[in-house]
């Protein structure tokens, strides 16, 4: 597939501590341009912190993040971030909210972005009048309107209902196909990770514990292949609990 | 059609009590004997029309309104600016806020003797007193509005690379505006309150002067007329404040 961008991300010996607490321990990752990777793990395993470091929102204690060989130490225009909440400005219309993602407002591109998320009719609407899924679509349009090289997704679908979630996953996949950005998704949802990512990293205690390549064609429909990967990853994440005898006793009941 | 009817009924309903009170006023004063030191509503209306014809009433209203607005403008602008400064800067907050909050507990009327000593009994006295009274609600609400800006939106603005100016213009200010307008509404109420007190102290024009001279001559209809005038002016201010809210906070509807 032809890719418009080539934003390669490299993370070398990245560490982050807050006071005495070490959140990230010697993270080494290499993400190819245009690749879609997912990071899964328990809450508090450091995955969101990692994403914030890549975004340039926080500074690493040691080590570095580089994009195409350039060190990232502050927020970067070519990196866009999709939060768990839409974080739209309630006092601006949908189109103005999207314009926030551009250096110079351009109504043609705003309309294109709205079209691409299927909300062209909501251009003049206040965010208050949109559903949760629609708000997140506007946030996605805002993130992608500037045609970024990297999209960071911090559990952006966590608050949506199951059906809307599936729609959004498809939408994100198709936009990724079209625009060719490099994507890093942080999620609790293993199924979502398997659906979207080329590679899934399992994080635990601030370390990358495992890396699983999802060798499935796209689009990925539910089936035994997908279930195989889901189970494989879940086993990695839940290993501790499986090994724990007390936990096993609980399972017997 | 039904909606219009509902609206109409709501209006009629909300005016029932004031109209009822006027009817009771009419009945009590018309048939209650002459011992009552209270004029009939007809007498007040006749007095009003008479003073309108001589132009006396208009000039009093004009003078009072001018004082009120000048004082409000002075106090409001200072309150807003100081609220901005203490809201935005931690240092300014530490330096100024305690002092300002201390002054807040001083009743405006308590400083009248001091103000007379400083400014005499001229125009400046009334304007400064109104400014003093209207300053605090706007100051406190501006400060509070800025302090309670959604941190998530600020972070979003940062990730999207907004400049400090844009963050203020697109996130902080609109977010604080609803709170500022609450302050404006409170201040408009206090504006008339303080002006009445100031105008009864010593003055040669205005509604307060009209009431004081009428009291001296025992023209109770004129005294009541001045009270009615304040009520009408207060109501107009409130309608303006509500209008401002619905114009600037359209996005909330």
């Amino acid at each position: 597939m032809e890719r418009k961008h080539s934003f390669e991300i490299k993370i070398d010996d990245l560490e982050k501590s807050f006071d005495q607490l070490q959140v990230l321990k010697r993270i080494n990752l290499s993400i190819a341009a245009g690749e879609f990777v997912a990071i899964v793990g328990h809450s508090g395993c450091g995955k969101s912190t990692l994403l914030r470091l890549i975004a340039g929102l926080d500074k690493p204690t040691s080590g570095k993040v580089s994009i195409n060989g350039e060190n990232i130490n502050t927020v970067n225009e070519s990196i866009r971030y999709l939060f768990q909440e839409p974080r739209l400005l309630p006092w601006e219309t949908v189109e103005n909210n999207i314009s926030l993602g551009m250096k110079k407002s351009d109504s043609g591109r705003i309309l294109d972005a709205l079209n691409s998320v299927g909300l062209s009719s909501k251009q003049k609407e206040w965010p208050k009048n949109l559903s949760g899924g629609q708000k997140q679509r506007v946030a996605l349009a805002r993130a992608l309107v500037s045609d970024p090289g990297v999209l960071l997704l911090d559990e952006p679908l966590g608050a949506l209902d199951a059906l809307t979630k599936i729609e959004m996953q498809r939408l994100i996949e198709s936009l990724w196909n079209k625009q060719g950005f490099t994507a890093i998704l942080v999620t609790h949802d293993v199924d979502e990770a398997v659906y979207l990512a080329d590679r899934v990293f399992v994080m635990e205690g601030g370390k990358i514990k495992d890396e699983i390549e999802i060798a499935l064609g796209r689009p990925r429909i539910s089936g035994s292949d997908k279930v195989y990967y889901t189970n494989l990853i879940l086993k990695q994440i839940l290993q501790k609990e499986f090994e724990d005898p007390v936990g096993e006793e609980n399972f017997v009941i | 059609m039904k909606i219009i009817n509902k609206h109409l009924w709501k209006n009629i309903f909300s005016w029932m009590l004031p109209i009822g009170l006027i009817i009771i006023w009419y009945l009590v004063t018309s048939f209650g004997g002459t011992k009552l030191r209270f004029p009939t509503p007809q007498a007040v209306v006749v007095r009003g029309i008479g003073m309108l014809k001589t132009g006396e009433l208009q000039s009093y209203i004009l003078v009072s309104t001018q004082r009120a607005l000048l004082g409000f403008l002075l106090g409001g602008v200072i309150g807003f600016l100081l609220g901005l400064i203490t809201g935005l800067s931690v240092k300014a907050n530490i330096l100024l806020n305690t002092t300002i909050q201390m002054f807040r507990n001083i009743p405006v009327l308590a400083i009248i003797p001091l103000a007379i000593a400083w400014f005499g009994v001229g125009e400046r006295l009334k304007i400064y007193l109104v400014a003093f009274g209207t300053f605090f609600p706007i100051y406190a609400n501006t400060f509070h509005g800025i302090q309670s800006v959604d941190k998530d939106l600020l972070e979003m603005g940062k990730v999207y690379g907004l400049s400090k100016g844009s963050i203020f213009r697109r996130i902080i200010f609109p977010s604080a505006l609803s709170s500022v307008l609450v302050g404006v509404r409170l201040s408009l109420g206090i504006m008339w309150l303080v002006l009445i007190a100031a105008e009864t102290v010593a003055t040669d024009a205005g509604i307060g002067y009209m009431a004081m001279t009428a009291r001296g001559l025992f023209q109770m209809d004129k005294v009541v007329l001045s009270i009615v005038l304040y009520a009408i002016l207060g109501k107009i201010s409130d309608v303006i404040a509500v209008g401002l809210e619905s114009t600037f906070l359209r996005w909330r509807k």
Side-chain angles (χ1 to χ4, degrees):
Chain A
M1 199 177 303
E2 201 201 332
R3 296 283 189 208
K4 272 194 287 180
H5 302 289
S6 52
F7 282 81
E8 186 186 17
I9 302 171
K10 212 161 169 330
I11 295 167
D12 297 309
D13 293 331
L14 192 69
E15 303 214 326
K16 177 73 182 172
S17 304
F18 294 104
D19 296 325
Q20 296 301 312
L21 186 72
Q22 194 173 14
V23 183
L24 295 178
K25 296 166 190 163
R26 288 182 77 87
I27 304 274
N28 282 288
L29 278 181
S30 181
I31 299 162
E35 196 181 5
F36 203 128
V37 301
I39 302 168
V40 296
H42 287 284
S43 326
C45 72
K47 53 190 194 304
S48 290
T49 308
L50 177 59
L51 210 60
R52 290 176 62 89
L53 287 178
I54 299 171
L57 268 175
D58 282 332
K59 296 212 184 322
T61 310
S62 68
K64 63 171 185 177
V65 177
S66 53
I67 292 187
N68 290 344
E70 250 179 80
N71 222 339
I72 294 288
N73 39 32
T74 177
V75 288
N76 185 317
E77 241 189 284
S78 51
I79 303 175
R80 286 294 184 236
Y81 205 106
L82 199 61
F83 300 93
Q84 179 163 6
E85 322 78 31
R87 302 198 188 178
L88 303 179
L89 302 177
W91 41 83
E92 291 193 8
T93 57
V94 165
E95 55 179 351
N96 287 341
N97 264 291
I98 294 174
S99 79
L100 195 137
M102 288 184 290
K103 268 212 150 154
K104 243 180 123 188
S105 186
D106 174 340
S107 54
R109 284 176 73 181
I110 291 172
L111 213 61
D112 286 345
L114 265 175
N115 263 323
S116 69
V117 297
L119 287 177
S120 44
S121 61
K122 304 284 183 190
Q123 200 182 348
K124 307 268 180 207
E125 205 66 78
W126 298 112
K128 190 181 168 290
N129 301 328
L130 303 178
S131 70
Q134 287 173 332
K135 281 182 198 161
Q136 200 57 290
R137 278 168 192 242
V138 174
L140 186 61
R142 179 180 65 190
L144 297 179
V145 71
S146 60
D147 208 6
V150 178
L151 180 64
L152 306 176
L153 304 111
D154 191 359
E155 299 190 39
L157 312 180
L160 301 179
D161 67 86
L163 287 174
T164 314
K165 212 168 178 169
I166 294 171
E167 277 172 21
M168 281 295 284
Q169 287 168 359
R170 290 188 180 157
L171 181 65
I172 290 170
E173 188 183 32
S174 79
L175 289 170
W176 169 70
N177 264 323
K178 210 167 78 189
Q179 297 199 5
F181 46 83
T182 309
I184 304 178
L185 166 73
V186 157
T187 182
H188 281 126
D189 187 341
V190 176
D191 223 36
E192 183 172 292
V194 173
Y195 178 82
L196 285 168
D198 298 318
R199 272 191 298 163
V200 176
F201 296 103
V202 178
M203 251 185 112
E204 196 183 283
K207 283 186 195 153
I208 302 280
K209 193 181 153 204
D210 206 356
E211 174 192 331
I212 293 135
E213 197 157 336
I214 313 290
L216 292 175
R218 287 173 191 272
R220 292 165 179 164
I221 26 173
S222 274
S224 53
D225 293 345
K226 203 173 161 227
V227 173
Y228 163 77
Y229 282 110
T230 309
N231 285 340
L232 185 71
I233 295 164
L234 270 175
K235 218 173 121 190
Q236 286 289 336
I237 300 173
L238 301 175
Q239 215 165 37
K240 232 190 197 161
E241 278 105 290
F242 281 139
E243 282 163 2
D244 182 21
V246 182
E248 235 165 83
E249 261 171 49
N250 283 339
F251 276 117
V252 176
I253 303 166
Chain B
M1 211 40 207
K2 247 188 182 161
I3 295 165
I4 295 170
N5 272 336
K6 218 173 157 186
H7 197 74
L8 190 71
W9 272 112
K10 213 177 123 191
N11 259 329
I12 292 174
F13 206 67
S14 71
W15 283 102
M16 261 162 65
L17 190 61
I19 290 168
L21 283 173
I22 291 172
I23 293 170
I24 292 170
W25 174 16
Y26 169 77
L27 292 175
V28 170
T29 49
S30 300
F31 306 104
T34 46
K35 275 186 186 166
L36 283 167
R37 288 176 188 164
F38 208 71
T40 60
Q42 309 89 285
V44 174
V45 172
V46 169
R47 173 68 76 175
I49 292 170
M51 287 180 75
L52 271 175
K53 276 183 185 153
T54 59
E56 218 179 342
L57 197 62
Q58 292 94 313
S59 82
Y60 286 159
I61 292 174
L62 191 72
V63 166
S64 287
T65 308
Q66 233 166 24
R67 286 170 182 156
L69 290 181
L70 275 174
F72 171 75
L73 205 68
L74 187 64
V77 167
I78 296 173
F80 177 70
L81 289 178
L82 274 176
L84 277 188
I85 294 168
T86 52
L88 290 171
S89 150
V90 180
K91 278 182 195 153
N93 184 14
I94 295 167
L95 185 71
L96 297 171
N97 199 29
T98 316
T99 316
I100 296 174
Q101 297 293 345
M102 207 164 66
F103 275 101
R104 177 192 194 156
N105 293 318
I106 303 172
V108 185
L109 306 187
I111 66 162
I112 290 182
L114 187 67
I116 292 177
W118 280 356
F119 309 118
V121 290
E123 278 313 275
R124 279 201 303 172
L125 172 75
K126 282 133 224 157
I127 292 167
Y128 289 163
L129 283 174
V130 171
F132 187 80
T134 53
F135 164 82
F136 289 109
I138 292 183
Y139 167 78
N141 282 287
T142 304
F143 175 75
H144 172 256
I146 287 176
Q147 290 280 299
S148 50
V149 171
D150 188 348
K151 299 286 176 290
D152 282 354
L153 288 182
L154 289 176
E155 192 187 54
M156 185 276 296
K158 204 179 148 200
V159 182
Y160 277 81
L162 296 188
S163 63
K164 279 197 169 150
S166 294
I167 286 185
F168 177 76
R169 197 166 42 80
R170 296 185 76 167
I171 302 175
I172 297 174
F173 182 72
S175 163
L177 192 60
S178 61
S179 184
V180 174
L181 288 176
V182 169
V184 168
R185 198 172 170 184
L186 285 171
S187 282
L188 284 174
I190 290 177
M191 174 180 89
W192 291 115
L193 215 74
V194 175
L195 187 71
I196 300 163
E199 280 188 344
T200 44
V201 172
T203 177
D204 52 7
I207 302 168
Y209 166 77
M210 174 180 131
M212 288 312 283
T213 47
R215 189 206 60 182
L217 302 168
F218 217 74
Q219 298 167 315
M220 292 317 281
D221 48 352
K222 211 167 166 181
V223 172
V224 173
L225 177 63
S226 70
I227 294 170
V228 171
L229 278 179
Y230 277 128
I232 293 170
L233 289 170
K235 179 71 189 167
I236 291 172
S237 307
D238 204 50
V239 167
I240 291 171
V242 171
L244 284 177
E245 279 183 11
S246 58
T247 320
F248 288 113
L249 307 177
R250 281 191 313 268
W251 54 273
R252 284 210 302 206
K253 268 190 272 179

